[in-house]
Amino acid sequence: MRTSSISADAAFRYIRRLVLPGLAVPVLMAAALAALPQAARGQAPSAEPQRPPFFAITNARIVTVSGPVIESGTVVIANGLIAAVGTNVDVPPEAWVIDGEGLTVYPGLFDALTDLGLEQPSAGAGAARTAGATQAAGSQADGPEDRPMTYPYRAAADALTSDDSRIATWREGGFTTAMTIPSDGLVTGQGAVISLRDGEPQQMVVRTPAAMRLNLQGARGRGYPGSLFGVIAYEKQLFLDADRYARAMVADEARPAGLDRATYDRTLEPVHQAVAERWPVLIPGNEPKEIHRALAMGGEYGVATVVYGGQQGYDIVAELAQAGVPVLVNLDWPERARDVDPEADEQLSSLRDRAFSPSTPKALHDAGVTFAFYGASSPRDALENVRKAIEAGLPADAALRALTLDAAEIYGVADLLGSVERGKIASLV
């Protein structure tokens, strides 16, 4: 049987709407490959295209991330997985072959913290109200069993919707993977690593639970905990309660049947699991004092801490390196407010923050701290702000790794994603 071939130009014309903005080379998205057989024949793709058993991209430059760059090689894809990659690769005779001459193949990019695929809170609903939340906004705590704005039982994987138009926008911008998690609450819920693909929501899930996220903003004016001090005390008590709960459950296993047993608690159970199973627990910290606090909290709680925010990490890289804690760097670099008097004086701290925040990734890289990126409002802004980090000294290959393999390692999915390697999911750009 002869292989079916399609030129890079023909393939590119068909999927040119997926070109990565601002990138100097054409981009192929593996997500579009299923429709290529019909495109090669000049036909419009049907609703259910005939999917061949294999695809092969040949004669392409392959940036594997995990190893050396292959200047001219082949990637074979079978059933959504990378079946082979290299310079001397046998292409199955039934494969659809894409001539990749002049193209570069990368791993798909990874947004390390987002709420893509989740229902957005309606305006005026309040920070404590979103899909899956059962506690009314503004409710107050009347006792230790009353836990306001605390949703560790809420799983992003159970709330996914494929109707989120942002998914296609980010996918067309080169992002094929994301860690999505609700953003509201003091404990926002359980995150999921998802593939930014079409199809049923359950088909998007790569791993769940992938993380738990903490916030430090209380419900001011709505009762305890409203202040930062109150929030920190409250979250510390939550983890102490989870530890006591876990010990009580273990003790119950040794008790004779019939005695009173500890009551299952849907809030404390996942908090205990996050500690025992070493889920990444995301704790906010942007300024040095906040990062110090995040490290102290994570150590006290006994969790696998991941600091998110991190823009002023340039001032605290030694402590981060010593702690061995990864950082999610917010790409929404600080800017001067547009509605202020241009003649007004600006605080030195603000000027310093604006000037040095894009240098944080380089400082983290130089110190050996693992980091990934998140926080941009669009894929175009994300890449533009990564370029600012490169202009501030971050090596380009380190930037790509932060957008791919390092993000996958932080969330424990590096065996599945983040590089162009045999056996991994074929999320390619």
Side-chain angles (χ1 to χ4, degrees), residues 245-256 261:
Y245 168 82
R247 287 187 280 109
M249 286 296 192
V250 171
D252 278 347
E253 297 298 326
R255 293 181 183 178
R261 300 178 64 82

Side-chain angles (χ1 to χ4, degrees), residues 4-12 28 36 56-61 72-74 96-105:
S4 301
S5 181
I6 177 172
S7 71
D9 285 344
F12 181 68
L28 281 175
L36 285 177
I57 305 173
T58 62
N59 304 316
R61 181 173 180 266
S72 181
T74 296
W96 280 95
V97 177
I98 300 169
D99 184 0
E101 183 70 32
L103 301 180
T104 299
V105 177

Side-chain angles (χ1 to χ4, degrees), residues 261-347:
R261 300 178 64 82
T263 302
Y264 168 78
D265 189 312
R266 72 167 182 167
T267 299
L268 296 181
E269 180 69 25
V271 174
H272 158 63
Q273 288 179 324
V275 177
E277 299 173 13
R278 306 296 291 169
W279 301 358
V281 174
L282 314 182
I283 304 177
N286 200 55
E287 301 175 7
K289 64 180 180 182
E290 295 169 344
I291 296 173
H292 270 298
R293 182 174 61 213
L295 296 177
M297 290 172 63
E300 189 171 9
Y301 301 163
V303 299
T305 305
V306 177
V307 175
Y308 71 94
Q311 290 185 340
Q312 296 181 29
Y314 58 85
D315 256 349
I316 195 173
V317 289
E319 291 89 337
L320 286 165
Q322 183 177 6
V325 168
V327 179
L328 306 181
V329 179
N330 188 344
L331 282 173
D332 187 14
W333 303 128
E335 296 180 352
R336 183 179 175 89
R338 297 180 180 179
D339 57 351
V340 299
D341 181 357
E343 301 298 327
D345 292 335
E346 190 171 1
Q347 291 186 345

Side-chain angles (χ1 to χ4, degrees), residues 49-73:
Q50 187 68 33
R51 185 184 300 273
F54 298 98
F55 296 102
I57 305 173
T58 62
N59 304 316
R61 181 173 180 266
I62 304 168
V63 180
T64 65
V65 174
S66 59
V69 174
I70 300 171
E71 292 301 334
S72 181

Side-chain angles (χ1 to χ4, degrees), residues 11-294:
F12 181 68
R13 283 196 302 271
Y14 177 67
I15 58 172
R16 61 188 175 186
R17 65 187 179 86
L18 301 180
V19 171
L20 188 60
L23 206 60
V25 295
V27 173
L28 281 175
M29 293 293 293
L33 294 180
L36 285 177
Q38 292 170 312
R41 297 194 300 270
Q43 301 174 11
S46 65
E48 296 183 1
Q50 187 68 33
R51 185 184 300 273
F54 298 98
F55 296 102
I57 305 173
T58 62
N59 304 316
R61 181 173 180 266
I62 304 168
V63 180
T64 65
V65 174
S66 59
V69 174
I70 300 171
E71 292 301 334
S72 181
T74 296
V75 182
V76 177
I77 300 167
N79 298 316
L81 298 178
I82 299 173
V85 57
T87 54
N88 297 307
V89 172
D90 292 330
V91 177
E94 62 270 43
W96 280 95
V97 177
I98 300 169
D99 184 0
E101 183 70 32
L103 301 180
T104 299
V105 177
Y106 299 92
L109 306 183
F110 195 137
D111 187 338
L113 181 58
T114 183
D115 59 2
L116 284 174
L118 301 179
E119 183 178 339
Q120 301 302 294
S122 59
R129 183 174 159 190
T130 189
T134 58
Q135 185 170 358
S139 61
Q140 297 189 6
D142 297 321
E145 76 286 348
D146 228 352
R147 299 188 178 95
M149 302 175 65
T150 306
Y151 317 118
Y153 49 81
R154 184 171 56 180
D158 295 336
L160 283 175
T161 174
S162 56
D163 296 333
D164 189 342
S165 62
R166 297 176 300 163
I167 292 175
T169 298
W170 281 84
R171 183 176 66 237
E172 291 169 7
F175 286 78
T176 62
T177 310
M179 208 296 292
T180 190
I181 190 169
S183 58
D184 65 297
L186 298 178
V187 183
T188 73
Q190 303 170 29
V193 174
I194 63 171
S195 176
L196 302 183
R197 53 168 292 171
D198 293 326
E200 296 300 318
Q202 61 267 25
Q203 295 175 319
M204 298 166 62
V205 178
V206 175
R207 176 160 297 175
T208 184
M212 180 174 288
R213 177 178 179 177
L214 307 184
N215 283 328
L216 294 178
Q217 293 182 344
R220 294 185 178 181
R222 296 177 180 172
Y224 175 80
S227 67
L228 175 61
F229 183 84
V231 169
I232 294 173
Y234 170 81
E235 290 186 348
K236 178 178 179 179
Q237 186 62 55
L238 181 70
F239 279 87
L240 289 172
D241 289 347
D243 179 66
R244 177 201 54 77
Y245 168 82
R247 287 187 280 109
M249 286 296 192
V250 171
D252 278 347
E253 297 298 326
R255 293 181 183 178
L259 294 180
D260 291 340
R261 300 178 64 82
T263 302
Y264 168 78
D265 189 312
R266 72 167 182 167
T267 299
L268 296 181
E269 180 69 25
V271 174
H272 158 63
Q273 288 179 324
V275 177
E277 299 173 13
R278 306 296 291 169
W279 301 358
V281 174
L282 314 182
I283 304 177
N286 200 55
E287 301 175 7
K289 64 180 180 182
E290 295 169 344
I291 296 173
H292 270 298
R293 182 174 61 213

